[in-house]
Structures are given as structure tokens and as C-alpha cells.
Amino acid sequence: MTISPSTHPTVPDVPDVPQAKGALDRAACDCGPTRRQLLRGTGAAAGAIAGAGVLAACAEQKPTPQEAAASASAAGAGTVVVALADVPVGGAVAAKVGGQDVLVTQPTQGEVHAFSAICTHAGCTVAPGEGELLCPCHQSRYALTDAAVLGGPAPEPLPAIQVEVSGEDVVLA
């Protein structure tokens, strides 16, 4: 059955020819992208920009734990790392030496050690934990006395930095 404009007033005045109806349908689609297409395109563009940012961050050259320890040590003997009073007995404190992140530990009263704070697993920054050193990225754990691996995916200890107590400070040796 065919409805003509004269019998049904809501149908536009279009000839009853299948090709004409298809042309009208195509014309409606050719006016630009749909809202769904725009949202998809915007989402894809945002994903590409975020992905490029992640790749740029990954491409940033970080020093290895050994390079960071050597760079910190290069600051020179006698360079103050931290005040001894700031290092808790049985704990550790984070510091910077020569632009490098380091950890200074005091396992027992007066016994101090320093290590690179760059995790030997994935290069994240290790932080003081409860009676140990802890990498927040993958949960590698290191000992306060020698930075030996206590657990986690880290393959080797943190590199040591030679320090000593001089007066009231922990200094590079």
C-alpha cells in the first residue's frame, strides 16, 4: 500500500518512487558526523594524546641505580647528607645528594648507611618503610643495614653510598 500526500498530511510531498526515498535518507546522513561519531572521535583523540604522554614519560632517560649512587658520591667527601638527629633509629629518611634521591638508614644507634633510592627492579623511587625500605611501585622490600632484597621483584640490593657521622651530621665519606 502506498500513502500519498493527499491522504496522509504528515508525509512530505515526495514522489512515490523508491529511488527518491533513498536519496532523502542519504541526504539526512550527509549533513555531517553524528553525535556518536563525534564522541568516538573525541575519545580516540584523547586516548592518543594520553598515550603519547605516557610514551614520552617512558622515553625519559632515568639514571640506573648504580649511576645515581655514583652521581651522589661525586658530590664529594664531607658533603652533608642529613642531620643525624633526622634519621630515626631502626628506620630511614629520604634525602637528596648531588641531585639524586638517596636513603639514609640507622639500623642501630650511631650505625648509618646510605643507598641510592632508585629501585633495582623498575626504577621507581624507594621510600622509608616500617623497619625496611619499600618500593611503592611493585612492593620490593630492602633491608636497612645493607639494602639486601627482602622480598618482591627487585633482582639485587640498592647500591651503597659511603657515609659517616661527622659531628651531628651524616656526611659523604
Side-chain angles (χ1 to χ4, degrees):
M1 175 174 149
T2 303
I3 300 174
S4 69
S6 61
T7 60
H8 200 287
T10 59
V11 175
D13 197 8
V14 176
D16 194 17
V17 179
Q19 293 83 2
K21 182 180 182 324
L24 284 177
D25 289 343
R26 280 192 302 279
C29 293
D30 289 340
C31 63
T34 65
R35 182 175 28 208
R36 181 174 291 155
Q37 290 168 328
L38 279 174
L39 290 174
R40 270 194 204 133
T42 304
I49 291 169
V54 168
L55 289 176
C58 291
E60 180 183 321
Q61 292 297 318
K62 292 182 179 181
T64 66
Q66 294 76 15
E67 291 169 340
S71 178
S73 296
T79 300
V80 175
V81 179
V82 67
L84 180 60
D86 292 342
V87 186
V89 175
V93 66
K96 274 202 184 279
V97 178
Q100 300 299 321
D101 290 317
V102 300
L103 294 162
V104 180
T105 67
Q106 187 172 199
T108 61
Q109 184 71 43
E111 175 192 0
V112 294
H113 305 278
F115 308 99
S116 166
I118 297 177
C119 183
T120 59
H121 171 244
C124 297
T125 303
V126 178
E130 293 292 321
E132 62 188 13
L133 305 173
L134 178 64
C135 181
C137 294
H138 303 105
Q139 308 311 305
S140 290
R141 297 175 16 251
Y142 300 91
L144 293 176
T145 55
D146 57 2
V149 178
L150 300 174
E156 56 191 60
L158 298 172
I161 299 167
Q162 298 303 310
V163 293
E164 62 188 9
V165 176
S166 176
E168 302 205 5
D169 294 318
V170 176
V171 300
L172 293 177

